[in-house]
Amino acid sequence: MNIKKSDKWDEVLRVIDRNGKWTGKYINRKEASERRNIYFNTAFVWIYDRKKDKVLLEKRSLNKKYNPGKLGLVGGHVTNDEVPIKTAIIETKEEINLDISNEKIYFIGVAKPDGVYKSFAYQFLVFANPSIKLLKIQEAEVEKLIYVSYKKIYNDVVNGSDNYSLTYPRFKNIFKKINYILKKPS
């Protein structure tokens, strides 16, 4: 794809091959979502409250094209000029007005495309317990925020609940790594 100066650079993604390597090509985000066999990177943050054993999730806006109304992690597309951790920090600030740039951010792993999802979804973990009342959501992206116990998320996703944008087995290795970090049985 030829990138025109009129294109919004923040909507331009790197095209990734099925092994997770950059092809040297770029594609418009809209076109990437409509074409088959086009892979790209995304980045998401697990905001985990250790004391309550809960994860801060967003209920996606009902106006979203993909997974409207489902519970998911804060995050988004990695644009052509970003690396996944930068995207994770930016999206967390944009979507829920939480600055995690000074927090210790753990890289968990990558959820690979599974036939339904076409992204290599980089996963990060932050230990934090922000008050939902103090956060400001980006209404175009997020309907509301909710804390959900990690155990419930894990059990629901493993058992195929349709309430989440997370899927199993795509997230199997992510859950294994989180369980290891949190010292929980798999």
Side-chain angles (χ1 to χ4, degrees):
M1 171 183 165
N2 291 329
I3 305 299
K4 300 176 186 127
K5 291 196 183 237
S6 62
D7 287 344
K8 292 182 181 179
W9 276 98
D10 63 349
E11 293 184 355
V12 175
L13 311 176
R14 291 180 178 168
V15 176
I16 307 301
D17 69 19
R18 66 182 61 207
N19 297 312
K21 303 291 182 206
W22 182 40
T23 63
K25 298 177 183 176
Y26 299 95
I27 192 165
N28 178 282
R29 179 176 166 178
K30 183 176 188 302
E31 187 178 350
S33 70
E34 295 170 350
R35 288 184 45 197
R36 292 183 148 189
N37 299 320
I38 295 290
Y39 302 99
F40 47 86
N41 291 328
T42 54
F44 296 94
V45 181
W46 295 74
I47 302 169
Y48 180 76
D49 182 333
R50 283 184 190 216
K51 290 180 183 173
K52 295 179 182 172
D53 192 28
K54 292 187 175 187
V55 177
L56 182 64
L57 297 178
E58 59 182 33
K59 183 172 182 186
R60 293 175 55 84
S61 168
L62 294 174
N63 297 323
K64 295 296 288 179
K65 182 175 181 177
Y66 299 103
N67 298 310
K70 291 191 179 186
L71 296 174
L73 303 165
V74 175
H77 293 81
V78 179
T79 59
N80 67 305
D81 62 344
E82 294 175 353
V83 293
I85 194 163
K86 180 179 176 186
T87 298
I89 292 167
I90 289 170
E91 292 289 335
T92 303
K93 182 68 175 167
E94 285 178 358
E95 290 184 11
I96 65 171
N97 198 34
L98 179 64
D99 184 356
I100 61 170
S101 62
N102 293 320
E103 302 294 330
K104 183 163 185 172
I105 302 171
Y106 297 86
F107 173 65
I108 301 170
V110 180
K112 296 181 179 171
D114 65 355
V116 174
Y117 294 96
K118 302 188 308 180
S119 74
F120 287 84
Y122 286 73
Q123 305 291 306
F124 298 94
L125 174 67
V126 172
F127 293 104
N129 58 349
S131 169
I132 291 174
K133 294 176 187 175
L134 300 177
L135 299 174
K136 182 171 176 18
I137 62 171
Q138 184 182 28
E139 292 177 1
E141 299 281 335
V142 181
E143 184 177 314
K144 71 177 185 176
L145 298 171
I146 182 172
Y147 274 105
V148 179
S149 80
Y150 175 77
K151 184 177 181 177
K152 178 168 178 39
I153 296 168
Y154 178 80
N155 288 333
D156 286 353
V157 173
V158 168
N159 291 315
S161 171
D162 196 35
N163 294 330
Y164 300 86
S165 60
L166 310 172
T167 58
Y168 201 84
R170 183 178 190 215
F171 276 78
K172 181 178 181 178
N173 288 331
I174 301 303
F175 281 120
K176 273 186 166 181
K177 289 180 183 174
I178 292 173
N179 290 342
Y180 176 78
I181 292 168
L182 302 179
K183 301 191 179 4
K184 294 191 178 285
S186 293

Short mmCIF file of all heavy atoms in Angstrom, two decimals, residues 4 7 40 71 129 134 146 154:
data_model
loop_
_atom_site.label_atom_id
_atom_site.label_comp_id
_atom_site.label_asym_id
_atom_site.label_seq_id
_atom_site.Cartn_x
_atom_site.Cartn_y
_atom_site.Cartn_z
N LYS A 4 -0.22 7.80 1.54
CA LYS A 4 -0.33 9.18 1.06
C LYS A 4 -0.20 10.12 2.24
O LYS A 4 -0.55 9.79 3.35
CB LYS A 4 -1.69 9.37 0.39
CG LYS A 4 -1.91 8.47 -0.79
CD LYS A 4 -3.31 8.67 -1.34
CE LYS A 4 -3.53 7.62 -2.42
NZ LYS A 4 -4.72 6.86 -2.23
N ASP A 7 -3.14 10.49 4.52
CA ASP A 7 -3.50 9.43 5.47
C ASP A 7 -3.12 9.86 6.88
O ASP A 7 -2.12 10.52 7.09
CB ASP A 7 -2.75 8.13 5.15
CG ASP A 7 -3.29 7.44 3.92
OD1 ASP A 7 -4.39 7.77 3.48
OD2 ASP A 7 -2.57 6.58 3.41
N PHE A 40 -1.34 -7.95 12.11
CA PHE A 40 -0.79 -6.71 12.67
C PHE A 40 -0.62 -6.91 14.17
O PHE A 40 -1.02 -7.94 14.72
CB PHE A 40 -1.71 -5.52 12.37
CG PHE A 40 -3.17 -5.80 12.66
CD1 PHE A 40 -3.69 -5.62 13.93
CD2 PHE A 40 -4.01 -6.27 11.65
CE1 PHE A 40 -5.02 -5.90 14.19
CE2 PHE A 40 -5.35 -6.54 11.91
CZ PHE A 40 -5.86 -6.36 13.19
N LEU A 71 -16.42 -7.54 27.80
CA LEU A 71 -15.37 -7.15 28.73
C LEU A 71 -14.01 -7.46 28.11
O LEU A 71 -13.83 -8.53 27.51
CB LEU A 71 -15.51 -7.90 30.05
CG LEU A 71 -16.78 -7.61 30.84
CD1 LEU A 71 -16.87 -8.53 32.06
CD2 LEU A 71 -16.83 -6.16 31.28
N ASN A 129 -3.96 -0.30 41.63
CA ASN A 129 -5.35 -0.40 42.09
C ASN A 129 -6.03 0.97 42.01
O ASN A 129 -6.47 1.51 43.02
CB ASN A 129 -5.42 -0.97 43.51
CG ASN A 129 -4.63 -0.14 44.50
OD1 ASN A 129 -3.87 0.74 44.14
ND2 ASN A 129 -4.82 -0.42 45.76
N LEU A 134 -12.06 7.73 39.99
CA LEU A 134 -11.09 8.75 39.62
C LEU A 134 -10.63 8.66 38.16
O LEU A 134 -9.92 9.53 37.68
CB LEU A 134 -9.87 8.69 40.55
CG LEU A 134 -10.17 8.91 42.04
CD1 LEU A 134 -8.91 8.74 42.87
CD2 LEU A 134 -10.81 10.27 42.26
N ILE A 146 -14.84 -1.98 35.21
CA ILE A 146 -15.29 -2.90 36.24
C ILE A 146 -14.09 -3.74 36.71
O ILE A 146 -13.25 -4.12 35.90
CB ILE A 146 -16.43 -3.81 35.70
CG1 ILE A 146 -16.94 -4.74 36.79
CG2 ILE A 146 -16.01 -4.57 34.47
CD1 ILE A 146 -18.19 -5.52 36.38
N TYR A 154 -10.43 -16.06 34.50
CA TYR A 154 -9.77 -17.29 34.07
C TYR A 154 -10.80 -18.40 33.81
O TYR A 154 -10.83 -18.99 32.73
CB TYR A 154 -8.75 -17.74 35.13
CG TYR A 154 -8.05 -19.03 34.81
CD1 TYR A 154 -6.98 -19.07 33.92
CD2 TYR A 154 -8.47 -20.23 35.39
CE1 TYR A 154 -6.34 -20.26 33.62
CE2 TYR A 154 -7.84 -21.43 35.10
CZ TYR A 154 -6.78 -21.44 34.22
OH TYR A 154 -6.16 -22.63 33.91
#
